[in-house]
Amino acid sequence: MTAVSDPRLEAESVTVRTLPGFDETVRVLGSKSYTNRYLAIASLSGQETVIDNALLSDDTVYLARAIEAFGHVTCDIDWSAARIRVTPTGKPMRAPDEEIFVGGAGTPLRFLISMAGHAEGTTVITGNARMQERPMGDLLKALPALGVNATAVRGNGSPPIRVVGGSFKGGSTSISGAVSSQFTSSLIINALRAQTDTEIVISDELISKPYVDMTLAALKEMGVRVDRDGYRRFTVPAGQQARGGRVTVEPDASGMSYFLAAAAILQSRVVIPGIGADSHQGDVHLVEALERMGCRTEVTDDSVTLTGGPLRGIDIDMEAMPDVVPSLAIVAAYAEGTTRITNIASLRVKECDRIAAVTTELRKMGIAVEEHADAMYITGGTPHGAVIDTYDDHRIAMAFAIGGLRTEGVVIKDPGCVAKSFPTFWQTLDTLHPTLESTV
């Protein structure tokens, strides 16, 4: 789906070449999370919006094409400029005749379920085999109170999802925050077009809070007010309109994590420009975790610098930054002592069961891992080469590729899965050292 020309995206496997070290500035693509949020908000604004430094990857392109299917906007993608222009057509939102397919794009699917509540007619939204196993039940239970009838076609709480739209009235609803913060973000964003004020009450504990903070920050930047009571209650007053114009996406903190991990395990230095201390992305806090493990860091308003050092294991709760658990796990494999990563049960329902996947693949490399329902205890050592299964999961592929920079013989199967969030990953990895080569 991407326009990136890299034969490794079509290869069966890639062998990562080791390198002795590096001192580089690495430019990371725009944030996937922010690109998805700006796209969703822009589509509901009624104003032309230009999204600069947009991440153009499988997930975001799926969302752009899905939004267009409702007929009320066009999403023109400029691949060379990393830009998406969202332009209203003047037509009402209507359910498409064909079902909407989003592959493995979890955030887009969750945003689209609520968005379909604005479209006249019946919309069916589905994804790939793994997506059809992922839970959507909490969102489906919350929508009827707002006037939207959304049901799982097979009655199992997972896609395909059927939404009867044109009825997003607003009002008050409650939702569990225990499975995914994306459900809450979906309701908050789509309340923008509700007929009355919308109140969203979190019935238990909200996980991955930084992602909701990102949603609120994106809405605020586009002129939308959301009243809140901590992470317990969010109220979106009716009658607001998101501004159009230009927005710029900051670099992706999850994508940054792989290059921070590379510097950590190779005792090297990396500078990531364009992202800094004011970022709402929770994954930025990986910098602090790596500092605790022995790295030196400098975070300014617009850059992150990390220099690796002798590594030691730590105990860390990663509930607020689950997407960078695989990155930290790779660093832990080279650290002295045991790293205990806890409160990560949400990883069981990602693109794959990431706790099981990381455990299995690290064990292949000779690293002792103790697996728990919501935790991993990783005892560092001297990893050896292995053929890494990636489970059609971009984060498994990228994290274990970083291990291959230090350990010979690391082969990454299905390297094209990185296109989900970072289609230029292999090219960016090449820039770390002029002699770095990957073999298709």
Side-chain angles (χ1 to χ4, degrees):
M1 179 168 290
T2 67
V4 175
S5 177
D6 185 342
R8 289 166 292 194
L9 297 180
E10 305 297 329
E12 290 186 5
S13 66
V14 162
T15 300
V16 183
R17 301 295 190 188
T18 59
L19 69 152
F22 61 91
D23 186 344
E24 295 288 345
T25 296
V26 175
R27 298 192 178 275
V28 177
L29 298 179
S31 163
K32 177 164 71 80
S33 296
Y34 269 124
T35 301
N36 281 328
R37 282 158 174 76
Y38 287 136
L39 263 173
I41 298 165
S43 76
L44 299 171
S45 73
Q47 305 287 316
E48 182 173 89
T49 307
V50 176
I51 306 170
D52 287 319
N53 197 42
L55 175 68
L56 303 181
S57 69
D58 286 357
D59 273 25
T60 57
V61 175
Y62 270 127
L63 180 58
R65 297 308 176 220
I67 286 169
E68 285 186 314
F70 292 119
H72 66 302
V73 297
T74 60
C75 296
D76 295 320
I77 296 175
D78 185 332
W79 294 93
S80 61
R83 177 178 299 130
I84 305 174
R85 184 182 300 272
V86 183
T87 306
T89 64
K91 299 177 182 178
M93 290 183 71
R94 295 194 183 281
D97 293 333
E98 303 294 328
E99 70 179 18
I100 294 174
F101 179 82
V102 297
T107 302
L109 189 140
R110 286 160 175 155
F111 287 4
L112 289 164
I113 290 171
S114 298
M115 188 178 293
H118 300 298
E120 286 288 343
T122 300
T123 302
V124 177
I125 310 166
T126 191
N128 62 20
R130 174 61 177 173
M131 183 58 64
Q132 293 183 37
E133 298 173 349
R134 297 178 71 177
M136 304 292 156
D138 291 330
L139 181 56
L140 303 184
K141 293 174 185 174
L143 281 167
L146 303 179
V148 178
N149 178 13
T151 57
V153 170
R154 293 196 295 264
N156 60 354
S158 297
I161 304 298
R162 180 185 293 114
V163 183
V164 180
S167 55
F168 201 125
K169 295 182 175 61
S172 181
T173 192
S174 65
I175 188 168
S176 169
V179 172
S180 174
S181 66
Q182 293 168 0
F183 300 149
T184 302
S185 289
S186 177
L187 294 175
I188 292 173
I189 289 171
N190 284 283
L192 176 61
R193 287 276 290 264
Q195 299 167 27
T196 62
D197 294 357
T198 302
E199 179 187 61
I200 302 153
V201 178
I202 309 302
S203 61
D204 43 26
E205 186 67 23
L206 180 66
I207 68 167
S208 302
K209 294 179 179 69
Y211 288 97
V212 172
D213 291 334
M214 292 171 66
T215 298
L216 299 178
L219 284 164
K220 182 178 180 181
E221 182 175 356
M222 297 184 75
V224 178
R225 187 181 107 235
V226 179
D227 300 325
R228 64 186 296 183
D229 175 12
Y231 294 97
R232 292 294 181 187
R233 180 179 289 102
F234 303 90
T235 303
V236 184
Q240 300 186 78
Q241 183 179 55
R243 71 166 177 84
R246 306 187 86 92
V247 291
T248 300
V249 180
E250 71 181 24
D252 192 284
S254 307
M256 172 177 73
S257 74
Y258 308 110
F259 300 95
L260 298 180
I265 67 173
L266 292 172
Q267 296 194 22
S268 296
R269 179 178 178 271
V270 68
V271 179
I272 311 291
I275 186 170
D278 292 335
S279 175
H280 289 281
Q281 296 183 66
D283 291 348
V284 167
H285 296 290
L286 179 66
V287 176
E288 298 161 18
L290 294 175
E291 186 174 45
R292 289 176 56 203
M293 295 182 81
C295 300
R296 289 185 289 113
T297 66
E298 180 183 359
V299 181
T300 68
D301 290 342
D302 61 359
S303 70
V304 172
T305 302
L306 183 139
T307 304
L311 298 168
R312 58 183 175 272
I314 59 172
D315 292 353
I316 182 168
D317 180 328
M318 295 190 74
E319 180 272 327
M321 47 177 168
D323 281 348
V324 294
V325 167
S327 303
L328 187 74
I330 288 296
V331 177
Y334 296 91
E336 182 179 354
T338 299
T339 297
R340 298 173 182 85
I341 304 172
T342 59
N343 205 9
I344 53 172
S346 66
L347 291 186
R348 297 285 188 189
V349 293
K350 296 288 187 178
E351 284 82 343
C352 71
D353 180 339
R354 286 183 180 157
I355 295 177
V358 170
T359 298
T360 299
E361 302 310 310
L362 281 180
R363 286 174 178 169
K364 281 185 185 177
M365 297 178 71
I367 295 301
V369 183
E370 187 177 318
E371 179 182 356
H372 299 269
D374 65 348
M376 287 184 293
Y377 298 171
I378 301 166
T379 300
T382 305
H384 57 68
V387 177
I388 302 299
D389 288 298
T390 52
Y391 308 87
D392 195 26
D393 191 324
H394 53 136
R395 303 216 182 278
I396 301 299
M398 291 187 282
F400 279 86
I402 296 308
L405 298 179
R406 178 164 167 178
T407 297
E408 289 187 4
V410 173
V411 178
I412 306 297
K413 295 173 69 174
D414 186 23
C417 68
V418 303
K420 186 176 193 298
S421 66
F422 201 157
T424 60
F425 173 76
W426 300 110
Q427 295 165 330
T428 307
L429 200 63
D430 290 341
T431 67
L432 290 183
H433 195 283
T435 63
L436 175 63
E437 297 178 357
S438 295
T439 303
V440 179

